Amino acid sequence: MAVYGVHQGAVGASARCSTVIRMAPGTADRIAAEASALLRAEGEHAVSMRRVAAAVGITPMAIYRHFPNREALLHAVAERGWDQLAEQWGRRARHDNPRAELRRTLNALLDFALEQPRLYALLYAVPSGQGNHSGELDFRSAESPVLSAVVAAVDEGMHRGVFEPDDVSEVALSIVALMHGLISMHHTRQLGLSDPEFRVLCGTAMTRLLHGVGA
C-alpha cells in the first residue's frame, strides 16, 4: 500500500562532494560501493576505514589515498546513493496531473525511507550539494533534490489552478517537513506503528495538508 495508492521507488538527485581525493576512480568506486553495502546491512556505525579497506582488499593506509577521512567516505556514499536514486527517478513516467505527480513524489520518498532506512538516515544527515556561501544547505535551492521535485509539482499545480496561489517554496517545504518528520519518528519507533499502518498515517496527514492548499 502506498500513501496515495501509487507504490513507487525513491526520489533523488545527484550530489557532489569536494572532499574526495580524485585518484584511481575504479578503486574509489569500489571503496564507496563496499562502504555503501556495509551501511545498508549494518548501519553507519559499521562503516570504518579498516573494515571497508578489508572488504575491498587494500591496506587500511591505502584507503586514505582516495578518501582523506571517514567523513569524506560517508559523503561519497551519500553521493552514490543520490546518484542511484536519481537514475531510478529518471526512469519513471511522470504524471501530467500536478496533484498526481505530487502524490507520486511523496510515495517515492516514503518507499525509499521504508526500504532503505539506513541510507535514508545518512542522506539526510549528509545533505546533497555544497550549500550556500556560508556553507549551510539552502533548502529553498535546487541543492535539495527531494524538495526540488515537490517544488516542481506544487508550482505546476498553482499555475494550473489545482492549488491556491502561495509561496511555492514555503508550501513545498511544509510538505517535505511533514513527511520527513513523520518518517524520522517512525524510524526511531516513536509511533508504535507497523509499516502498513505508518503508510496510512502518512496518507491521512498529507491529505489534510493538501486540502489546506487545494484550490
Side-chain angles (χ1 to χ4, degrees):
M1 179 189 299
V3 174
Y4 291 93
V6 182
H7 190 80
Q8 295 289 352
V11 181
S14 176
R16 295 292 176 262
C17 175
S18 61
T19 55
V20 177
I21 298 176
R22 299 301 183 185
M23 298 174 60
T27 302
D29 286 345
R30 286 169 53 213
I31 292 169
E34 291 294 345
S36 179
L38 274 173
L39 174 83
R40 292 170 187 260
E42 301 180 38
E44 183 181 332
H45 69 278
V47 183
S48 70
M49 303 296 268
R50 185 174 296 275
R51 283 196 67 182
V52 173
V56 176
I58 60 178
T59 66
M61 290 304 298
I63 198 172
Y64 289 98
R65 295 177 55 205
H66 307 280
F67 301 95
N69 49 47
R70 182 174 179 270
E71 181 182 9
L73 177 56
L74 289 174
H75 269 276
V77 172
E79 176 178 315
R80 182 183 180 87
W82 283 125
D83 286 344
Q84 291 172 346
L85 295 173
E87 182 181 356
Q88 294 175 14
W89 182 253
R91 291 198 301 263
R92 299 183 184 278
R94 295 181 60 84
H95 290 285
D96 183 59
N97 182 291
R99 188 180 290 274
E101 179 62 17
L102 179 58
R103 291 171 178 172
R104 166 187 177 273
T105 299
L106 299 175
N107 279 311
L109 175 63
L110 181 57
D111 288 346
F112 165 52
L114 295 180
E115 293 164 8
Q116 298 290 344
R118 289 164 174 156
L119 181 57
Y120 178 94
L122 176 69
L123 295 187
Y124 283 89
V126 183
S128 63
Q130 296 303 308
N132 58 28
H133 62 279
S134 66
E136 299 175 350
L137 185 68
D138 182 357
F139 283 97
R140 292 174 180 270
S141 77
E143 298 295 345
S144 179
V146 174
L147 183 59
S148 295
V150 175
V151 164
V154 171
D155 186 52
E156 182 68 16
M158 288 184 184
H159 276 91
R160 294 195 188 186
V162 176
F163 302 134
E164 290 284 355
D166 205 332
D167 185 294
V168 174
S169 295
E170 289 185 1
V171 170
L173 182 58
S174 297
I175 292 170
V176 173
L178 173 60
M179 286 294 293
H180 180 57
L182 289 173
I183 289 168
S184 297
M185 293 177 71
H186 183 61
H187 280 173
T188 52
R189 301 180 180 179
Q190 297 180 57
L191 300 177
L193 300 175
S194 66
D195 283 358
E197 290 171 333
F198 178 65
R199 287 182 180 276
V200 173
L201 172 64
C202 287
T204 301
M206 199 54 58
T207 295
R208 290 192 182 109
L209 188 151
L210 293 181
H211 278 322
V213 300

